[in-house]
Structure formats: C-alpha cells, structure tokens
Amino acid sequence: MENINMLRLVLPGFLVLSGGAGALAQEARRVEALPAAEIVALAAGTDRLYAATFSRVYTSLDGGESWEAAASLPVDAQDHGVYALLAHETNLFAGTLGSGVFVSSDGGASWSSPGSGLTGLARRVLSLAVRGDSLYAGTDAGVYVLNLQQPAVWQDFSQGLGASSVRTLATSGRALVAGAGGSGQVWVRSSGAGTWTSIPLGPQPHAIAYTLLPSGSFLLAGTSDGIYRSSLRGDGWVHLQGAFPQGADVLALAACGARLYAGVQHQGYALYSSDDHGATWVLRNQIPASLLTLLGRPDRLWVGRGDGLWYYDLSSTTPLFQASFVEEEQGQPVLKGGASATLSGHALHLVVFFSALRHPWARIDLYEGIPEQGGTLIQNLALAVPAPAAHSGGVEATVALTEAQIQALHAGRFYLHLSTIEPSVRLGGPVQVLPVVAPVLAGTELSERWQGLLLARGSMLATLEKDRLRLAGFFSGLRAPWSQVDLYRGVPGLPGEHVKNLLLNFSGDPGTDMGFNRTLTLTEGQVQDLLDGLLYLAVQTLRPDGEVRGQLLSHPNRAPGTSRILTPPGGNTILIGGTEAGDPVDPDTPLATISLAPADDPDGHRVVYLWQASRDPAFGPSTTTTVELGVDSLNLPLTVAGLAAVFEAAWSGHTPPLHTPVAFYHRAVTSDGARFSYGEAVTLTLVRGTITADEPLADLPRRFVLHGNYPNPFYPATTVVFDLPAAAEVTVEVFNLLGQRVLTVPAGLLAAGPSHRVQVDAAALPSGSYLYRLVMQRGDTVQVARGKMSLVR
C-alpha cells in the first residue's frame, strides 16, 4: 500500500439546527454599548473580541455580550485614526492612517510602537498579516515586515511589488498575497522568494482587490468586479461570474466555519453567503447602512457598519457537518465531492460521496488530527479494491465517538481521508462549523429491486434552508450505467410527478456509481411537499426496468415497524390450478388473498406494504420475488395466474415441476419509501397444477412478440398487442422524440398467453410522433420490444 495517496477530504464540517429558530437570525442586532459610528476594523484573539472605530478600540471578554473601551492610542485621532486590527497570540496590533503600527499585550490597556522604520506614506497602514514570526504591514508605500522575535526595525518588503496602497494582505498556504493598486491583479510572494510576482485577476484590467480570504483549498478575492477564486498559491484566478449583480463591489469577506459571507455594494449594501467555497452565493439581508468589515465566529457573524457594530446570531443545538473534496487539475483546485454528517448523541453518521477523481479510490478513514502530522486513526470507514471505474461513488458509515472525540470534532480537529492509488496528490482540511438559517434536515436511502430483492443503492442527506434545498450523497452498485437523476413528487409505490432534473449522463460514463451534490430553489408548494414527505429522488439506469428510488424524509429517519403474515397461515398448502386428474382451472379464478398485519412508522410517514416469496429461507437472489401491495394496503388478492407467476419467478427461468409440492417461505415487508423492515418468514407449500387446457407450458407462445398498436395513428387511445411466453410483469413506456419519458402504463402481472392487450390513453399528450417500449420482466429476466405511435388530434 506504499503507493496509496492520502487524498484528504477537506472536511469543513457545518453545524446546523434542525427545526426551531434560524441559525442566521432574520434581523441583525446592534451592540448598544458601542457608539453608532463607523466600525472600521474587527479582530478576534484567543479570549477576546476587538472592534475599532476611527478613534477608539473596544474589547470584549465574553464573546461580545459586553464591551469596554481600550486605552486611547497615542495618536491624533482626527488625522491618524485606526484603520486595521490584527490579533496574534496574546498581542493586538493596530494599524493607523498616519502613525504606523501599535501593539498591546494586555488587551488594549496600554499601547506601544513595535519597532521603528515606518516613515512617510509607510505610516499609513491599510492592512496587517502574520506569517510565522513575521508581521507584515500593507501601507500606502508598499509592504513592510517586522520580526516579532526581535521587533526592532521595520524592513521594506516591496521588492518587485509594482503597486502601492496595499489594501489587503492574506497568508495563504506558503504564500503571502497582496491586493494593491487598481491594475486588475494581485501580488504573490511565496515563502523564501526574493520578490513579488504579479498575477492577473481576470478580464477587467482595472479591477481593485478589496479583500482576500482563504477557504479550504481555495483563495478568494473580493473586488470591484465581483468575486475571483484561485488555488492557495494565489495563481490561476477564475472569475466566478453570476455570483453577484454585474458591477457589484465585494468589500468584505468572512468565514463562519465552512460558510462564507460577503459584504457587497450594489445599489446599496447587502450580505450574501456561500456554502461551496464561493462558487454560488445566496442573498441573505439588505443592509440599510454602509457595510465596512466582517468577522466570522462559530456563534455569531459580526458586521462593522457605518452606524455601529451589529451581529447575527448563529447559535444552534443539533450538529450537522459537511465536507468538500478538492483535487488539483492543471494547477487549479476542483471540487470532487465531499461528505455530510450528523451527530446524534455519540453517534456520528457520515455520508461520503465523490465523483470524477483522477485515480481510483482505495480506502476512506476518519482521523483526529492531520495524519501527516501524527494524527490518530479513529476508524476505517470503507475499503475498496481499486478498479478502473472506481472514480465515483460513496459510502455510508456510523462512528461511535467518545466525549473527548466529540469535543475534538467541534474544535475542528477531525479529518476525513480518501486514499487513491496515486501517491503524488495530498489534499485535506479541518472540520469547521457552518450555520444554516432555519434548517430542515431530510434524507433517504436509495433502493433498487434486483432478482426479487430490495437492495440499498446509496444514501442522501438534504438541508432545506428557507427555499434552498441542498442534496448531497451518492448512488452505487447499480446493475447498469445510469442515465439521469430526477426529483419527483409522489408517494411510495406510485408513479410521481416530475419536479426537476438534477443530473444527465447520456453515455453512462463513468459507470454505475456517482457521488454528487446539487442545490435548487423550491417553490412554496414544493417546500410543503418536502415537509410532508412527498418528494423523492429517482435514478434512471440504462436497463428498461431500472429505477433506483428513495423518498426524502425527515432526518434522522427510522424504518417502519414490522408486519406479519395473517393469511394464508404458516404451513398452509395451496394448489395452483387443477389436479392431474381434474379439469383445468380458469387462470382468472381467485385463489388466495395475502393479508398483512398493520404497522406504524415511528416518524409518522406513510407505510407501503410489500410481500416476498422465496424458495430460500434466506431470501437470496434468483429464488425470490417481491410484489408491492401499495400505500396502506394490507391485502393482495391473487388469481391462479397471479400465484403461478409468483411460483415461476422463484425458479429464475427454469421449468417448475407440475403437481409437485414445493416448500416456499414468505414474509411481509414495510417501507416508508426510504427504509425497509422485514417481518418474520413463515412457510407455505405451493403445488403447481394444471391451469389451462393447452398445458404443458410448451404449447404457449414460444417468444415475446410485439404485434404493434392499433389504431395507429390514433386519438385519444390506442391498444398495444403482444404475446407472452410466460407469466411476467408488463409495462408500456412512452417517450417523446427527445428521449423524455412522458407516459408510463403499468399493466401488472399477466399470465402466459397470446394476444395480450394494454390500452394506452394519451389524451393528455400533444399531437406528434412518439416512441414506446414494451417491457416484460420475469424475475431478473427482462425483455424489451419497441414501437412507434402517432397521436393526431
């Protein structure tokens, strides 16, 4: 395993509140203890918060509940007031507009000048940054540096810097990045480099960089031309177009854990937020006064405005965490997946998803601490034998945490690593807190029928914030490549109404697995549908019968209670048809009714009932068939032909013996559309007797044949005619010429025989030509016949 790369998940975890008051309050609250004056700078130390007006610095020791004025700086406040603050270890540094830099080691009770050497325009300090043991000052005369171990003299650090007026400085990875001048570029000086390098921002040659902020594996720049993003090295900038209105100035950036906030000026001031490292932004609040600066903390977002200090309450009670995979391609960081996780008591439930990795994955591990720096492995979550197609997918896992580990999780010391077979790439990041406005958590387990079984095919977690629904998860292990992922409205067991397409993949590449996250805006009615459990995800595959489905239900979601078989009772024997000496039995003759006991869902969701019959007490593949009764339906009437079809499906294509008792096992299955519960299995003896006068079965149609539809052209209905060589589930699907399915007609379980007829009512469709396919499914055997029909009004 020496060649396995630890592709660490950038796990900027987020904390959200499930129900109740919003994590980001609808209205900002003003700090009454501070004057209603311009708050020009904010900073946070290990145990204090700091806020500065042009003339005074204020401190808080209790997270902002109370504030006190610090000692006055020894400057002429009218001409040389405070403009920048930086808290580092036990020191607070204040940059002024004309008197240079001052430092306080006692929380602002006293001030001194840390070194000499700032003269002329260098005494106008616009920004401050720390890297290692060096303090950097961005001034109107360039960048200056002071050694904090021996703070004697400021040194000019501007070699190669082709601009003055350094408005913003940021330490990003091993680079020091400066926004200076108005030439549409930033300046980068890597650790150990002897000069600055200019990097163009984008298409606007006169864009002004106001603020810089590292976020995960990205560096963001707020400018007079909107928002730009690059790698942490500060190169290869990309203009994130459409994030804000055209011509908007992004004046301030801040991070509250994984959620980013931007102060924007465009026809007034506004606050925006982003959960994907700045790729997309949501308008949060209009600001009635000028917005000057932002400071993010786990519990509050602080906003320095022209009318004082304000804050938004981000406190929450129910932890939810989120992560992002970032992989570098052609010098640029690219999002490749991530994770969503909930913490319930001591159980951390993770849904990890990834897509389009450059190399197959091998294992996923959860660490406390950075592994390369001696972090401790908490638990391996999954192992995989690297395969050529293992570039997408995901896993679901639950980890039991100790009290100390929970504290470490909240403190940002957890890492999630995805290992690939390529050793050269190493990515990662810490768990962080992300506040969400009035969130509603939902989730689902995607399932698929395969050889009579109900199999989990993936998992999703969703966060609804007002009208914004974010879906994160994966589907995996499908029987065929997938074609599209859609959101539908409906209840379990019934066809639904299409709401929105989320993904398309016409080629089926990269295979059958996929991890993804999508954010969409819901209407008021769709929000209510989600709350009522009426929205579900459907993954269409290239198999004609392939639909993987899961209802979006409140999270955490518990499976319904179990149901049991009431009739026929255990040990019963049923003759399917006539005896060897008797006359044949009409296939439409009612033979038995499967009756199930009612069950409740602990979360109050609708219960759909299913019935499984198998020749295997373990209900294995090829010997099991599943029949859906429906929502709240407890009875399944079976005709002779219907029970014969169940009998034959359990033989996986082999000819069942006639007039021979066969031991079966059957059980009730309950589902809320996302999770399943299995009742206790009981025995049932079935005897396959003579059904029709033309038995044996060899006299039935030998092939599955479609005879077309009549009339054609038609309006409003047409009849599809076909032969069935064996009992099977039959469905007619109608598609427009764009390949979109517009109508599904389930014919149900049909007995073997010639000239079956299924009527297709297309009155709701517009005139035109349509393609249709007739799907016959018998156990795991699927056959498809295709035709073309024309609707003429």
Side-chain angles (χ1 to χ4, degrees), residues 631-657:
V631 179
D632 299 329
S633 179
L634 296 170
N635 298 295
L636 174 66
L638 290 173
T639 63
V640 170
L643 194 54
V646 170
F647 182 89
E648 294 166 16
W651 289 85
S652 187
H654 298 292
T655 302

Side-chain angles (χ1 to χ4, degrees), residues 360-390:
W361 71 280
R363 59 183 294 151
I364 300 173
D365 297 292
L366 183 66
Y367 278 83
E368 180 180 344
I370 302 174
E372 293 86 352
Q373 299 178 7
T376 302
L377 176 66
I378 295 176
Q379 184 170 313
N380 170 257
L381 305 181
L383 292 171
V385 177

Side-chain angles (χ1 to χ4, degrees), residues 484-498:
Q484 62 187 63
V485 183
D486 297 282
L487 184 66
Y488 280 86
R489 182 186 188 276
V491 297
L494 296 176
E497 171 190 349
H498 188 265

Side-chain angles (χ1 to χ4, degrees), residues 16 135 206 217 428:
V16 294
L135 172 67
H206 303 296
S217 295

